[in-house]
Amino acid sequence: MSAAAASGSSLAASLPAPLSDILAHPVGHGVIIGGIVMTFFMMVSAWSIWFERRFAGRMQSRVGPNMVGPAGLFQPLADAIKMMRKEMLTPSGADKVLFWMAPPLTLFFTLATLATIPLSEDLLIADLDIGLLWVLAFSGLMLFPTWIAGWSSNNKYALFAAMRAVAQGISYEVPLLLSAIVPVVAVGSFSIADIVRFQGEHGWLLFWPVGPGALGFVIFFVASLAEANRIPFDIPEAESELVAGVTVEYSAMMWGLFPMTEYVHTLIASALASALFLGGWYGPFGWAPGLHWMLGKTLFLFFVIFWARWSLVRFRADQLMRLCWLWLVPLSLLAVCGAALWVAFSGGAA
Amino acid sequence: MIAMIALSLIALCVVSAGLFAVRSTNLVHSVLWLAVSLAGTSALYLMVGASFLSAIQIILYTGGVITLMLFGVMLTDRNETTKIGNPSERKRLGAVSALAVFALIASAVSSMSFTGGGSTIVHTKAIGQALLTEHLLAFEALSILLLAAMLAAIVVARRRDP
């Protein structure tokens, strides 16, 4: 790989001999750190489903899952075992190869974005020169499996959902890319780790005096909610109109991969927003940097997403498009111009 | 050696995906094979150290152009309307134009000098600076071309006033 650099030097140095050698090698580094980061994201996503159901129960004056294990904590395990033991059906009119390809692809593209998102100075799989572009490229590819699933099912609801998903995806891609440019302009690098380090020295981008940072953060957060198809942007799987969206014809674990991926995607979007705008692993005023800050911010944003989900209602498709093209796109252009002016007049950070 | 084998395998993928894209009688499969081919091109760029180009290739071509193509074939019914014939009555004309394009590309490639080897890494910052200083005129001309295309599309698609 071109610009991949093993960044876990301090971690590698602190470990005993065989482990530090493996970590110093790019492949060993990728496998070990990648394994840790991926396992972490999958585990948090699984138990966030339990948390969300309990939290939703609280908001709606009911209990939520509380039977399996202490306080219902084993519910995700029980769900997973149940789904794996079910039969996987293929509709007779489906395009079989594409139908079976879609769920694994969606998980693959989502996990691929993890490669360049730093959790801390050490927990970074690869510090690429094009880190942010890598993430945006793979999150753009996320539309493919959704579309393939909807089309290959040969089901009108699934096809409608796929059509809405692609329309929404390519629209919200524009403000997402533009608002992600704001930190790039400010820092002068596409590497997410560089962006975080810059914020460690100059303060979080969210709290910039003039405000393109705050504007960029809000737009980025809203657009990534739309990309992850979370309420209030879950038009592609509006269950009251489209039964279950693109997942109508799927069963068992093939179905299970879709909601699982959605949670992982949402968690990754929270992590990316924390790294780009909220200073990543640095605390406010740069004190006590470490993993705990990054985790705290990521989980807080994740919680805000749940909160929004159970507080807001779903947009109509036309309202969704109006919000994107009439508000988010012009505002994100404004944020980029603001960031460029800020850099030009403050002498340039790059 | 390993890099060479990997490069050849990816190139093989790109070429065969392109072939499938042309030969498939299913419109949707054609578009998806084209996506595989373009993504493979991006992998080739990554293998030779042009990481920025590779990311842009994915974002613009696979993520943008192909998505728009999918939009175009979206309302096709899975069983009937996506079947397309592959008319082969103009084989000679096709062969001539393919050979002409091949000759053009081959002459362009052979007239270039490849120095520096495969290990040079072009930094993204250098590309940006070159675009906005040395090649500024070409950059701006391109953006005006894109703007004109966009305006034309709006004019064509606009609802006529009664």
Side-chain angles (χ1 to χ4, degrees):
Chain A
M1 265 331 136
S2 54
S7 69
S9 46
S10 60
L11 183 70
S14 66
L15 288 170
L19 261 179
S20 64
D21 288 345
I22 296 171
L23 262 183
H25 191 272
V27 174
H29 178 87
V31 169
I32 291 175
I33 303 291
I36 293 172
V37 171
M38 269 199 269
T39 313
F40 171 76
F41 270 79
M42 303 281 270
M43 286 296 139
V44 171
S45 308
W47 265 274
S48 73
I49 296 176
W50 166 81
F51 174 79
E52 179 173 18
R53 290 175 67 186
R54 293 286 288 182
F55 176 66
R58 227 5 104 73
M59 284 185 83
Q60 297 171 342
S61 305
R62 54 188 175 85
V63 185
N66 67 341
M67 288 309 199
V68 193
L73 263 175
F74 296 157
Q75 186 70 44
L77 286 178
D79 286 346
I81 292 169
K82 182 195 77 174
M83 275 192 291
M84 283 180 210
R85 295 184 60 219
K86 280 184 165 182
E87 186 187 357
M88 295 195 259
L89 301 169
T90 320
S92 61
D95 191 319
K96 298 213 169 40
V97 179
L98 290 181
F99 186 79
W100 285 87
M101 212 172 68
L105 263 190
T106 164
L107 188 64
F108 168 73
F109 286 149
T110 307
L111 288 180
T113 59
L114 273 177
T116 60
I117 298 178
L119 287 184
S120 75
E121 196 85 56
D122 295 320
L123 280 179
L124 165 59
I125 302 174
D127 188 5
L128 293 185
D129 188 26
I130 51 157
L132 185 57
L133 288 177
W134 173 277
V135 176
L136 294 174
F138 276 98
S139 73
L141 286 183
M142 280 294 293
L143 281 176
F144 276 88
T146 313
W147 190 86
I148 291 173
W151 182 81
S152 65
S153 303
N154 199 27
N155 175 307
K156 60 186 171 215
Y157 296 115
L159 186 62
F160 261 124
M163 192 169 85
R164 288 181 177 190
V166 174
Q168 176 176 330
I170 49 178
S171 304
Y172 277 85
E173 192 86 357
V174 178
L176 186 79
L177 285 170
L178 283 174
S179 55
I181 293 295
V182 171
V184 174
V185 169
V187 179
S189 168
F190 276 117
S191 155
I192 302 176
D194 279 355
I195 292 173
V196 173
R197 283 186 206 108
F198 175 87
Q199 293 180 80
E201 284 169 34
H202 298 85
W204 301 1
L205 284 180
L206 180 66
F207 300 130
W208 271 10
V210 247
L215 189 58
F217 170 71
V218 172
I219 295 168
F220 184 83
F221 196 58
V222 170
S224 30
L225 279 192
E227 288 277 301
N229 290 336
R230 299 293 298 186
I231 285 178
F233 301 103
D234 71 333
I235 301 276
E237 45 184 278
E239 64 271 12
S240 48
E241 314 160 21
L242 294 177
V243 195
V246 294
T247 60
V248 176
E249 298 286 1
Y250 284 90
S251 51
M253 205 54 206
M254 277 294 164
W255 174 82
L257 283 179
F258 282 103
M260 195 171 96
T261 307
E262 191 185 307
Y263 278 87
V264 177
H265 189 169
T266 317
L267 186 60
I268 292 176
S270 312
L272 191 59
S274 326
L276 289 183
F277 294 96
L278 301 183
W281 64 79
Y282 288 100
F285 315 110
W287 46 264
L291 186 60
H292 52 282
W293 282 111
M294 183 65 184
L295 293 187
K297 289 171 205 170
T298 305
L299 292 178
F300 176 72
L301 287 183
F302 202 36
F303 169 71
V304 170
I305 293 171
F306 290 157
W307 193 1
R309 174 170 181 183
W310 295 99
S311 311
L312 300 174
V313 291
R314 182 181 301 134
F315 279 118
R316 265 193 342 249
D318 62 317
Q319 290 170 328
L320 192 83
M321 289 298 158
R322 189 168 300 135
L323 175 73
C324 178
W325 291 105
L326 293 187
W327 289 99
L328 293 185
V329 172
L331 282 177
S332 52
L333 282 172
L334 194 71
V336 173
C337 291
L341 284 177
W342 187 82
V343 169
F345 283 106
S346 70
Chain B
M1 188 59 199
I2 295 173
M4 204 57 213
I5 294 171
L7 208 62
S8 318
L9 280 178
I10 296 172
L12 192 68
C13 283
V14 172
V15 171
S16 44
L19 204 63
F20 281 127
V22 177
R23 295 299 300 169
S24 173
T25 52
N26 185 320
L27 198 54
V28 172
H29 289 180
S30 272
V31 173
L32 291 174
W33 278 120
L34 189 59
V36 173
S37 177
L38 290 175
T41 317
S42 149
L44 282 183
Y45 290 151
L46 202 63
M47 290 296 295
V48 297
S51 51
F52 178 72
L53 202 58
S54 138
I56 291 299
Q57 166 89 7
I58 291 264
I59 292 178
L60 286 189
Y61 287 92
T62 321
V65 174
I66 297 288
T67 316
L68 282 178
M69 282 187 174
L70 286 183
F71 217 89
V73 293
M74 185 159 306
L75 286 174
T76 54
D77 176 58
R78 208 191 85 60
N79 289 324
E80 281 126 43
T81 41
T82 48
K83 289 274 178 288
I84 45 169
N86 266 315
S88 48
E89 66 261 31
R90 290 183 194 156
K91 268 183 185 160
R92 282 200 201 118
L93 217 61
V96 169
S97 55
L99 279 176
V101 171
F102 179 77
L104 187 71
I105 293 174
S107 70
V109 168
S110 61
S111 69
M112 278 187 64
S113 65
F114 292 100
T115 52
S119 60
T120 35
I121 294 167
V122 182
H123 286 286
T124 311
K125 203 174 222 170
I127 296 176
Q129 269 156 359
L131 272 183
L132 288 178
T133 51
E134 225 178 300
H135 306 290
L136 185 62
L137 192 66
F139 184 76
E140 290 298 326
L142 262 184
S143 61
I144 288 175
L145 184 71
L146 285 177
L147 187 67
M150 203 159 78
L151 286 178
I154 291 172
V155 168
V156 169
R158 196 171 60 108
R159 192 182 293 152
R160 296 276 176 270
D161 294 327

